[in-house]
Amino acid sequence: MIAIPSVIEQVVNNDLCTGCGLCTNFCKSSALKMDWNDSGFLVPTLIGDCDEEGSCISVCPFNPFPKDEVKTENEIAEGLFEEDSLTKFDKKIGKFRNTYAGFSKEHRSTGSSGGLATYVSEQLMEGQIVDHVLNVQEQDGKFEYVICSEKEKLKSSSKTRYFPVTMETVFAQIRELDGKVAIVGIPCFIKGVRLAQEQDQVLAEKIVFTIGIICGGVKSKFFTEYLSQKAGVATPDIDRVDYRIKDINSTAGDYSFGSKAKNSPDFQTIKMRTVGDMWGTGLFKANACDFCDDVSAELADISLGDAWIRPYVNDGGGTNVIVTRSAIADRIIRDGIEKGKLVIDEIEQSEFVRSQKGSYTHRQDCLPYRIENSGLKNIPPKREHKKTLSPEVKIIQRLRRKTRQKSLDVWREVMNAEKFDKEMKSSLKLLRTITKFNHYKRGALERVKRMF
């Protein structure tokens, strides 16, 4: 009988994998390889004999039975960043130094938001803090992690990628690289990196900086196929895609998706607002994302996201919200301000939280309810989040879970945008109706409170 690796038995088979790929590098029997599952996600698959040693799951961000010293993000963060008079703590943000909002003058036009990820990466290389940056780039029509050792190549990674990627191949090369490394990743990927550093001293010394990208959830490759068809490009013909085409004369949220067909010179585009809410509904989202409570990439030296608050949300050019956690990260931002390379405002930590209000509500406030009603075994330990939910919010949570799963099942069956919309119409209408009622009720209650 073939032994099943721990990460497959306890994580993949529990539908809690986000595809970081670190387990493949820590499998001492080389029994794992990342591959596509039937829901359009990258997951580890068995390719050889497993020695059942269990090292694969030790670096998994969704390990259901972690050691006490890495039990949650709180424990991992202990000792990770400098502790001095500038260190602060917020229950929602974690350990941090400062919170900002702004953009890079040079990189804003080519970035999805304010271009800060590219700017910070460049400063790390220019300042000889790192020699290599691991980030996601488009290679021959595919998105994948690459090792970038030249500053000039950083700009090609400046766009948002809502497509499954894995660190499987590049992470295996880090030990052989000459010099220091920075890694750009979403919260669960950064957590995996930190767990890997706990296991391997070479990685702890080589990886000296992490850039966390605030994430709304990992999307299946079905998401890209659906949007491309809506834009007029058939799935087999997809050559390149652009998930965030800005309209600088409009608002930050009024952006387009673009898809370019093979042998075609131009992108076919569609305004994202015309396809409805692709985030709050949970369409095409990985199941694991409903059991993650790290909104702000708490384990990264610097975290970057979209500034979904006024006045920034009214600027179609794009603006980042920024959380600095290490002294190096904060120095990069402040030096950029002093040199006139960055247009930055310091904002209150409460404003940062407000900029990601929807994520905090869903991923933290509603997490205990989802766990209680998930029916899943062995969910990783989570921090305590106490929030009394109204009946309609509970209904919304259940509907989102059903809609998420239905979207994957329907696309797998039809693989046609028109048929998909028809099959999903009633489910989305019900979810939209309850959500609108909840917003109306909440707004009415807030108005009453202000009266008294």
Side-chain angles (χ1 to χ4, degrees):
M1 183 176 179
I2 299 176
I4 304 298
S6 300
V7 76
I8 291 182
E9 182 179 20
Q10 299 179 25
V11 180
V12 177
N13 291 347
N14 206 22
D15 200 12
L16 288 176
C17 176
T18 56
C20 70
L22 293 177
C23 57
T24 64
N25 291 282
F26 279 77
C27 175
K28 294 182 179 179
S29 0
S30 299
L32 297 171
K33 177 178 174 54
M34 300 300 290
D35 204 352
W36 295 101
N37 68 10
D38 63 1
S39 292
F41 296 103
L42 287 166
V43 298
T45 58
L46 188 63
I47 59 169
D49 293 333
C50 170
D51 63 7
E52 297 185 272
E53 191 269 343
S55 56
C56 58
I57 203 168
S58 67
V59 294
C60 178
F62 286 89
N63 178 6
F65 306 112
K67 296 185 295 185
D68 287 344
E69 54 265 37
V70 292
K71 187 176 181 181
T72 71
E73 284 76 4
N74 287 354
E75 286 78 18
I76 299 172
E78 284 298 319
L80 196 57
F81 309 112
E82 302 94 329
E83 290 277 1
D84 55 33
S85 60
L86 299 176
T87 303
K88 306 165 191 172
F89 178 81
D90 182 275
K91 189 175 180 180
K92 290 187 175 297
I93 301 174
K95 291 174 68 174
F96 73 105
R97 298 178 84 84
N98 284 300
T99 46
Y100 306 91
F103 58 87
S104 161
K105 289 182 179 179
E106 180 180 356
H107 302 297
R108 188 191 202 193
S109 62
T110 55
S112 293
S113 298
L116 263 296
T118 305
Y119 176 82
V120 172
S121 297
E122 283 193 352
Q123 294 306 303
L124 290 169
M125 295 187 80
E126 284 184 4
Q128 298 182 333
I129 298 169
V130 305
D131 303 282
H132 318 276
V133 177
L134 270 63
N135 56 21
V136 179
Q137 297 191 14
E138 190 172 9
Q139 301 282 322
D140 300 322
K142 299 178 181 178
F143 297 110
E144 57 186 25
Y145 263 93
V146 299
I147 298 171
C148 187
S149 304
E150 299 175 12
K151 191 185 77 169
E152 291 71 23
K153 293 184 179 180
L154 291 171
K155 290 183 180 180
S156 60
S157 63
S158 60
K159 283 281 191 175
T160 299
R161 322 293 191 183
Y162 298 120
F163 195 87
V165 292
T166 177
M167 293 187 287
E168 176 186 23
T169 56
V170 293
F171 211 84
Q173 302 173 48
I174 292 178
R175 295 179 184 86
E176 310 304 321
L177 287 175
D178 182 20
K180 303 296 184 181
V181 176
I183 297 180
V184 183
I186 57 178
C188 58
F189 279 38
I190 298 297
K191 182 179 181 180
V193 169
R194 296 307 192 187
L195 292 171
Q197 289 180 295
E198 286 275 343
Q199 299 286 324
D200 189 322
Q201 186 59 34
V202 172
L203 297 177
E205 293 174 358
K206 277 189 170 290
I207 303 169
V208 298
F209 199 92
T210 54
I211 300 173
I213 305 300
I214 295 173
C215 171
V218 175
K219 294 288 193 184
S220 162
K221 68 176 181 178
F222 295 169
F223 174 69
T224 300
E225 294 170 357
Y226 169 77
L227 290 179
S228 289
Q229 288 192 27
K230 294 291 285 186
V233 178
T235 300
D237 298 330
I238 299 172
D239 178 46
R240 292 178 57 199
V241 295
D242 190 334
Y243 295 95
R244 191 82 72 89
I245 301 173
K246 299 177 184 179
D247 182 347
I248 60 173
N249 297 313
S250 187
T251 61
D254 189 26
Y255 59 88
S256 299
F257 169 86
S259 183
K260 190 179 83 67
K262 298 171 185 175
N263 302 317
S264 173
D266 302 315
F267 277 88
Q268 302 295 311
T269 64
I270 184 171
K271 285 281 189 180
M272 285 299 292
R273 56 181 165 79
T274 66
V275 298
D277 183 2
M278 302 295 289
W279 302 97
T281 55
L283 289 174
F284 303 116
K285 185 174 70 174
N287 183 58
C289 300
D290 270 344
F291 301 95
C292 168
D293 62 350
D294 181 1
V295 173
S296 66
E298 296 176 33
L299 303 178
D301 289 86
I302 190 168
S303 299
L304 306 170
D306 288 286
W308 299 122
I309 49 173
R310 294 176 181 173
Y312 313 108
V313 74
N314 295 325
D315 187 343
T319 307
N320 282 116
V321 281
I322 307 154
V323 180
T324 57
R325 295 193 172 84
S326 67
I328 293 174
D330 207 62
R331 185 169 70 246
I332 287 173
I333 297 302
R334 292 196 174 274
D335 284 351
I337 297 171
E338 291 176 8
K339 293 175 182 177
K341 294 182 177 181
L342 300 179
V343 178
I344 298 284
D345 298 326
E346 286 194 51
I347 61 173
E348 295 293 330
Q349 62 199 64
S350 59
E351 284 295 279
F352 170 83
V353 172
R354 195 167 67 86
S355 77
Q356 310 300 315
K357 183 178 179 180
S359 286
Y360 279 113
T361 298
H362 179 76
R363 295 170 70 176
Q364 292 191 358
D365 295 348
C366 299
L367 179 59
Y369 182 77
R370 285 197 303 279
I371 291 176
E372 181 183 347
N373 292 274
S374 69
L376 293 176
K377 301 177 182 177
N378 302 334
I379 291 174
K382 294 297 171 184
R383 295 164 290 185
E384 186 174 296
H385 302 289
K386 290 185 176 180
K387 184 77 173 183
T388 301
L389 304 183
S390 66
E392 51 272 17
V393 169
K394 292 180 180 180
I395 294 172
I396 289 170
Q397 288 298 307
R398 292 200 296 271
L399 291 176
R400 282 181 177 177
R401 297 281 295 150
K402 291 180 180 179
T403 301
R404 185 205 69 81
Q405 185 60 56
K406 184 177 179 180
S407 69
L408 298 171
D409 294 340
V410 169
W411 187 262
R412 187 189 308 115
E413 180 182 346
V414 302
M415 291 192 166
N416 177 279
E418 186 177 348
K419 292 180 179 178
F420 177 87
D421 289 342
K422 184 177 180 180
E423 290 288 330
M424 295 298 299
K425 184 176 181 181
S426 59
S427 297
L428 291 172
K429 182 178 180 180
L430 178 59
L431 177 55
R432 185 167 57 249
T433 300
I434 300 296
T435 302
K436 284 184 177 179
F437 172 75
N438 179 55
H439 288 168
Y440 175 80
K441 177 183 173 183
R442 190 173 62 200
L445 289 173
E446 290 174 355
R447 288 191 293 272
V448 170
K449 288 179 181 178
R450 287 197 295 267
M451 291 174 62
F452 296 95

